[in-house]
């Protein structure tokens, strides 16, 4: 009963304009926290059950079936190594092979193992699994996989179940439902070009301002969804020429509409000079300087 009351208070605060409460509701709804996050992560945590190409690693303790080390699937590796899908600093690639919390004695060829003796195998198993669990919980799970053409600049190429099946790529929990695209549309672009003046519209020959883009009327709501996009990483798969899944690669990025601390000073965040009047003014200014 107490939990229901707390949830009701959160909803009331969100409806009353509380930014913190509204972000909490969005995080629950889109799997940034809570039960849905666990469900979205399952495909990464149990690749043996969902990916037939993954081989079972050998046992660390020969007599114990449960001593096999955790498996870092290609998708999970990309998420762990990227700052766009982590709440903390990204991991180094070597940390997936030899966790930094594992004593050097775990390597039988190390100087520590020679002087102090090898590390207990049971301790090694526990340390590897503890590190695996600790790190995946810091991951922000993507909603879908995007098929990315290396020669294309389109942000969303192919996301349907059929497209992924043809490329032999595993789909994620909310694949092909258009959920991410809906968030992207509500957020809208971070910057929009200024409206054309009457003189500029007349000089274009149409008399209509085509530079104005339709977007949600509430700036507060757009800002909340832009911040949500900063917590919704895009997991993209780029196939290679031979089209085999084992030779493709995964990458992680954020939407161009995302508002995140890591993108605050990114060059793509600043509007470009693209209006004809601005270009004409720059040209005339250069002409005056050359005289």
């Amino acid at each position: 009963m107490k939990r229901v009351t707390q949830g009701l208070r959160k909803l009331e605060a969100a409806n009353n304009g509380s930014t913190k409460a509204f972000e909490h509701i969005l995080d629950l709804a889109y799997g940034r926290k809570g039960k849905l996050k666990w469900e979205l992560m399952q495909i990464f945590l149990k690749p043996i059950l969902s990916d037939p190409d993954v081989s079972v690693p050998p046992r660390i303790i020969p007599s114990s079936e449960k001593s096999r080390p955790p498996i870092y699937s290609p998708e999970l590796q990309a998420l762990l190594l990227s700052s766009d899908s982590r709440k903390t600093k990204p991991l180094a690639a070597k940390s997936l092979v030899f966790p930094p919390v594992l004593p050097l004695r775990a390597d039988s060829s190390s100087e520590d193992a020679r002087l102090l003796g090898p590390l207990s195998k049971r301790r090694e198993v526990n340390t590897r699994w503890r590190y695996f669990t600790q790190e995946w919980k810091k991951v922000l799970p993507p909603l879908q996989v995007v098929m990315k053409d290396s020669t294309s600049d389109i942000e969303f190429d192919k996301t349907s179940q059929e497209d992924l099946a043809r490329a032999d790529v595993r789909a994620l929990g909310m694949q092909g439902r258009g959920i991410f695209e809906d968030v992207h549309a509500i957020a809208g672009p971070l910057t929009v070009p200024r409206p054309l003046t009457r003189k500029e519209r007349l000089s274009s020959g149409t008399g209509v301002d085509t530079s104005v883009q339709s977007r949600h009327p509430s700036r507060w709501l757009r800002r909340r969804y832009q911040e949500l996009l900063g917590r919704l990483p895009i997991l993209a798969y780029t196939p290679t020429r031979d089209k085999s899944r084992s030779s493709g690669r995964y990458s992680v990025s954020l939407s161009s509409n995302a508002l995140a601390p890591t993108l605050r000073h990114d060059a793509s965040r600043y509007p470009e000079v693209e209006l004809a009047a601005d270009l004409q003014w720059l040209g005339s200014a250069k002409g005056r300087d050359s005289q």
Side-chain angles (χ1 to χ4, degrees):
M1 189 65 182
K2 182 179 179 181
R3 187 174 181 181
V4 174
T5 303
Q6 289 176 344
L8 182 59
R9 288 175 180 172
K10 285 281 188 182
L11 285 174
E12 292 176 346
N15 287 330
N16 291 330
S18 170
T19 299
K20 185 176 181 180
F22 195 82
E23 289 177 351
H24 175 77
I25 300 299
L26 289 179
D27 284 345
L28 287 177
Y30 291 95
R32 304 306 88 194
K33 60 174 65 173
K35 183 179 179 181
L36 183 56
K37 177 182 178 179
W38 171 264
E39 293 175 352
L40 291 174
M41 288 296 298
Q42 284 303 300
I43 192 170
F44 305 125
L45 304 182
K46 297 181 179 180
I48 293 179
L49 301 180
S50 56
D51 189 352
D53 296 334
V54 174
S55 58
V56 180
R59 304 172 182 175
I60 296 177
I61 303 174
S63 61
S64 176
E65 177 64 27
K66 294 183 178 181
S67 68
R68 299 183 189 276
I71 299 175
Y72 294 90
S73 64
E75 301 95 324
L76 183 57
Q77 289 184 39
L79 294 170
L80 289 171
L81 301 180
S82 172
S83 59
D84 292 333
S85 53
R86 299 258 305 172
K87 296 179 181 179
T88 56
K89 290 178 58 177
L91 300 181
K94 62 181 180 180
S95 297
L96 306 183
V97 180
F98 197 94
V101 295
L102 194 62
L104 294 177
R105 293 164 54 201
D107 182 4
S108 58
S109 62
S110 66
E111 185 69 14
D112 288 34
R114 189 180 67 83
L115 295 175
L116 305 174
L119 186 70
S120 164
K121 295 296 183 181
R122 175 57 59 189
R123 183 181 172 187
E124 179 181 351
V125 173
N126 293 340
T127 302
R128 286 183 178 275
W129 275 101
R130 190 180 302 114
Y131 182 76
F132 175 78
T133 303
Q134 169 188 302
E135 294 304 322
W136 79 252
K137 288 184 177 180
K138 300 174 184 177
V139 169
L140 297 168
L143 301 181
Q144 60 186 8
V145 179
V146 178
M147 288 286 293
K148 187 70 175 177
D149 185 352
S150 58
T151 61
S152 173
D153 294 330
I154 301 176
E155 190 164 12
F156 310 112
D157 281 357
K158 299 177 181 178
T159 61
S160 68
Q161 298 268 10
E162 295 75 15
D163 291 329
L164 298 183
R166 281 193 292 268
D168 193 25
V169 176
R170 293 185 296 169
L172 300 188
M174 296 187 178
Q175 195 73 42
R177 300 182 183 180
I179 296 176
F180 183 89
E181 290 80 358
D182 290 343
V183 175
H184 190 269
I186 295 174
L190 294 178
T191 59
V192 294
R194 65 172 177 81
L196 296 178
T197 63
R198 181 174 179 273
K199 182 177 181 181
E200 291 169 344
R201 292 198 302 271
L202 293 175
S203 63
S204 64
T206 62
V208 179
D209 188 356
T210 59
S211 65
V212 179
Q213 304 178 16
S214 61
R215 54 179 182 168
H216 196 281
S218 172
R219 181 180 181 275
W220 184 87
L221 190 65
R222 292 199 309 269
R223 181 58 60 91
R224 302 290 77 76
Y225 274 85
Q226 289 167 358
E227 291 171 348
L228 174 62
L229 283 176
R231 304 188 295 275
L232 285 174
I234 301 173
L235 181 62
Y237 176 79
T238 306
T240 51
R241 292 182 179 179
D242 60 6
K243 305 298 183 182
S244 63
R245 187 165 80 87
S246 59
S247 60
R249 68 181 184 86
Y250 287 93
S251 60
V252 180
S253 62
L254 291 177
S255 165
S256 58
N257 291 359
L259 187 63
T262 56
L263 299 176
R264 184 171 299 166
H265 302 295
D266 191 89
S268 62
R269 302 280 136 171
Y270 299 98
E272 297 180 355
V273 177
E274 55 184 11
L275 298 177
D278 294 334
L279 296 176
Q280 184 178 1
W281 181 86
L282 288 174
S284 61
K286 289 180 179 179
R288 289 194 301 268
D289 293 340
S290 61
Q291 292 177 357

